[in-house]
Amino acid sequence: LNFNLPLELVETVKRVSDSLGCSPTSAEVAAYFDKHDKLRHFREEFLVPKITELPPSDLSLVNGAKDCIYFSGNSLGLQPKNVKKYLEEELDTWAKIAIHGHTMGARPWAWAENNIEELMAKVVGAKTEEVALMNGLTVNLHLLLLSFYKPTKTRHKILLEDKAFPSDHYAVESQIRLRGLDPKDSMLLLSPKPGEETLKTEDILEVIEKQGDSIAVVMFSGVQYYTGQLFDMACITEAGQRKGCYVGFDCAHAAGNVELELHDWGVDFACWCSYKYINSGAGGLAGAFIHEKHKHTIKPTLMGWWGHDLKSRFQMTNVMELQPGVSGFRLSNQPILLVCPLQASLEVFNMTTMQALRKKSLLLTGYLEYLIKHYYTKDPAQPHKPHVHIITPSDPQQRGCQLSLSFSVPIKRVFEELEKRGVACDMREPTVLRVAPVPMYNSFSDVHRFIRALGEALAASKQDWERN
């Protein structure tokens, strides 16, 4: 049991297995955890694909009637069951009352997104007036940087992680060029130290302390998409602001995954998509946050009529009455057909708390890590046995639900073999497989089934590798 795992997790698994009189790796342990999971009923709020419905499944290897093992919530969340109902309501409204749908019906189109911003604010730890639902993530990041990135001759750098999500990298690069600056001089990329796979908080803080006087904006991920590392957002915010920097975060992989306190941490700005852990569907409506301390001082660089005060917006005076804070950053009316799935998901989140989800997540991902390390840790006594290396930090406080795995055998083959067995996860070149047991709808039995499928996939991959 000594795999450098948190002692509390190891003791929990052993205590349960002892009480059941079984091995710590037995499926009985997973069943026990599921039986005592107070959040297990939320799975019924989502549509879980059957194995037979997934195109890569090989029904000669697996029972197609079973639910798939869906560990891709870090990329695309499952569909809430109410989505179809809400979409049909709005299509019906459009068909029957047409233009009157702007101000009538279940969710009047002219302010439909405003009605669910309180629910979103709870998920990210913000005040309702600090949150706007609009656009896509990268559009929102551009809008925010246009106002927060005000480079001077001496303070012109933007600090971000070297392997930031590509869209963040491109956005920052283009914002720098827009100001007539060179990204080679103004884009400060932070990489892990040689031999390390993730960034240490002390290394981030050291760079901020040493170079902070030349940094205009610290722009980090909340959770790193590739490694799954959860950054210490509160600590980074405090350090950056102490040096006179604005601090913002891309929370795409953090929102709905980990506990966020954007307001209490004093984060200057943030943005996130909603189709990963928040389950709003591909290309769903994104979120933006600006702390209330900036509501009268930070103004949008680009304006549109949806930033105008709702009370007088439709008077068409062409005299802007700008809403304070992030609300003034709105440009256009939001697509009602994107509001519907987001509402369906946020209503499920509102049935519980991020604290409760996070508590389950710690055990769920910890259990996954425990089983991976039990079966697939590199064994010097069996040098030819396929093994798995977890690059995500083992410290539960430095990760969300995702584990990023690398393999001793070619990853593409492992991925294909997992897909044949009804596993939905995702591969990120060059060497990483990302698996994310989501506490909202995944079970401990899902984890145990995944471990079994992984063993079969590794065995099949090894045979292929040796033949070739």
Side-chain angles (χ1 to χ4, degrees):
L1 294 177
N2 183 20
F3 301 115
N4 195 30
L5 287 161
L7 182 61
E8 184 180 358
L9 182 281
V10 174
E11 289 177 343
T12 298
V13 172
K14 189 170 189 309
R15 184 171 65 250
V16 170
S17 64
D18 286 349
S19 70
L20 296 172
C22 65
S23 163
T25 60
S26 168
E28 292 180 55
V29 174
Y32 177 92
F33 284 143
D34 284 335
K35 181 180 178 181
H36 293 84
D37 173 16
K38 295 179 181 179
L39 306 182
R40 66 185 182 277
H41 59 287
F42 286 120
R43 185 182 178 96
E44 300 305 313
E45 300 289 336
F46 295 87
L47 297 169
V48 183
K50 298 296 182 183
I51 290 176
T52 191
E53 295 170 328
L54 297 183
S57 298
D58 183 343
L59 300 185
S60 69
L61 298 174
V62 68
N63 181 356
K66 287 187 175 182
D67 287 348
C68 77
I69 303 168
Y70 195 82
F71 280 3
S72 285
N74 58 321
S75 187
L76 179 72
L78 290 178
Q79 183 184 135
K81 288 182 177 178
N82 274 339
V83 168
K84 187 175 182 180
K85 173 190 172 186
Y86 291 173
L87 286 171
E88 288 177 342
E89 285 174 356
E90 294 315 312
L91 291 173
D92 195 52
T93 296
W94 183 18
K96 292 180 177 177
I97 66 174
I99 195 169
H100 298 287
H102 283 296
T103 56
M104 300 176 67
R107 50 190 72 77
W109 306 334
W111 52 83
E113 73 275 14
N114 301 140
N115 292 340
I116 58 174
E117 283 167 347
E118 181 180 359
L119 301 182
M120 181 63 88
K122 289 180 181 178
V123 173
V124 298
K127 293 185 177 182
T128 304
E129 58 271 24
E130 294 175 321
V131 170
L133 296 173
M134 57 187 188
N135 311 313
L137 188 158
T138 307
V139 174
N140 288 338
L141 179 55
H142 274 298
L143 293 174
L144 292 165
L145 286 174
L146 281 170
S147 293
F148 280 93
Y149 180 49
K150 299 296 184 183
T152 65
K153 187 175 182 179
T154 57
R155 189 186 288 273
H156 57 88
K157 295 178 182 178
I158 299 180
L159 174 66
L160 68 161
E161 70 264 33
D162 184 38
K163 292 295 183 181
F165 189 78
S167 203
D168 288 2
H169 186 105
Y170 304 148
V172 168
E173 194 171 40
S174 60
Q175 286 285 332
I176 290 170
R177 287 203 174 99
L178 184 64
R179 309 313 203 280
L181 301 172
D182 189 338
K184 292 179 182 177
D185 301 321
S186 299
M187 201 170 178
L188 184 56
L189 301 175
L190 189 54
S191 301
K193 288 180 176 177
E196 297 179 357
E197 292 166 311
T198 55
L199 289 163
K200 290 182 177 176
T201 301
E202 55 263 35
D203 294 337
I204 300 171
L205 301 185
E206 183 181 0
V207 170
I208 293 173
E209 180 61 32
K210 288 183 176 179
Q211 301 194 48
D213 291 338
S214 65
I215 297 172
V217 175
V218 175
M219 174 61 216
F220 258 73
S221 304
V223 172
Q224 220 285 333
Y225 87 99
Y226 188 79
T227 67
Q229 179 182 10
L230 169 60
F231 292 114
D232 190 335
M233 299 168 68
C235 204
I236 292 170
T237 299
E238 193 277 331
Q241 291 173 348
R242 190 174 63 243
K243 296 294 288 188
C245 316
Y246 285 126
V247 181
F249 291 94
D250 171 354
C251 293
H253 287 265
N257 177 16
V258 297
E259 290 181 74
L260 297 175
E261 297 294 344
L262 297 181
H263 175 82
D264 289 349
W265 294 338
V267 172
D268 292 303
F269 68 91
C271 51
W272 57 94
C273 58
S274 63
Y275 53 81
K276 303 182 190 303
Y277 298 102
I278 307 181
N279 318 300
S280 70
L285 203 57
F289 164 91
I290 295 178
H291 198 281
E292 67 174 359
K293 64 189 174 186
H294 299 303
K295 68 180 179 180
H296 295 304
T297 54
I298 298 290
K299 307 291 185 183
T301 300
L302 302 178
M303 295 193 297
W305 74 315
W306 231 245
H308 191 110
D309 193 314
L310 177 61
K311 297 184 183 69
S312 56
R313 180 182 300 158
F314 296 98
Q315 293 174 9
M316 312 298 196
T317 63
N318 283 11
V319 177
M320 173 60 84
E321 295 177 30
L322 190 67
Q323 297 181 78
V326 73
S327 292
F329 282 66
R330 305 173 198 268
L331 297 177
S332 302
N333 52 327
Q334 303 309 319
I336 186 61
L337 299 184
L338 294 186
V339 172
C340 293
L342 182 53
Q343 177 185 342
S345 180
L346 289 175
E347 286 175 347
V348 181
F349 274 92
N350 199 44
M351 297 175 191
T352 182
T353 64
M354 284 308 304
Q355 290 85 355
L357 288 166
R358 178 65 169 155
K359 182 178 179 181
K360 176 182 173 180
S361 182
L362 291 172
L363 182 57
L364 191 64
T365 295
Y367 181 56
L368 173 62
E369 180 188 28
Y370 171 85
L371 291 177
I372 289 173
K373 289 189 172 181
H374 176 88
Y375 286 111
Y376 308 121
T377 295
K378 186 175 183 179
D379 185 356
Q382 303 180 68
H384 299 296
K385 177 187 174 185
H387 58 268
V388 179
H389 172 61
I390 302 173
I391 69 173
T392 309
S394 189
D395 177 4
Q397 302 308 317
Q398 294 187 56
R399 69 184 184 204
C401 69
Q402 171 187 321
L403 293 182
S404 298
L405 315 177
S406 64
F407 295 82
S408 62
V409 292
I411 185 174
K412 188 174 182 181
R413 193 77 181 103
V414 176
F415 178 63
E416 290 170 349
E417 290 294 334
L418 283 170
E419 286 198 315
K420 287 180 183 179
R421 291 162 173 79
V423 176
C425 56
D426 74 359
M427 180 176 66
R428 282 292 178 264
E429 298 287 3
T431 59
V432 164
L433 201 69
R434 303 187 305 171
V435 292
V438 175
M440 183 68 86
Y441 48 71
N442 280 128
S443 67
F444 292 88
S445 294
D446 285 340
V447 169
H448 200 275
R449 288 174 59 207
F450 170 78
I451 292 298
R452 181 174 179 179
L454 179 59
E456 295 173 359
L458 285 171
S461 301
K462 182 174 183 288
Q463 289 173 3
D464 266 8
W465 190 31
E466 289 173 342
R467 278 199 298 266
N468 297 327

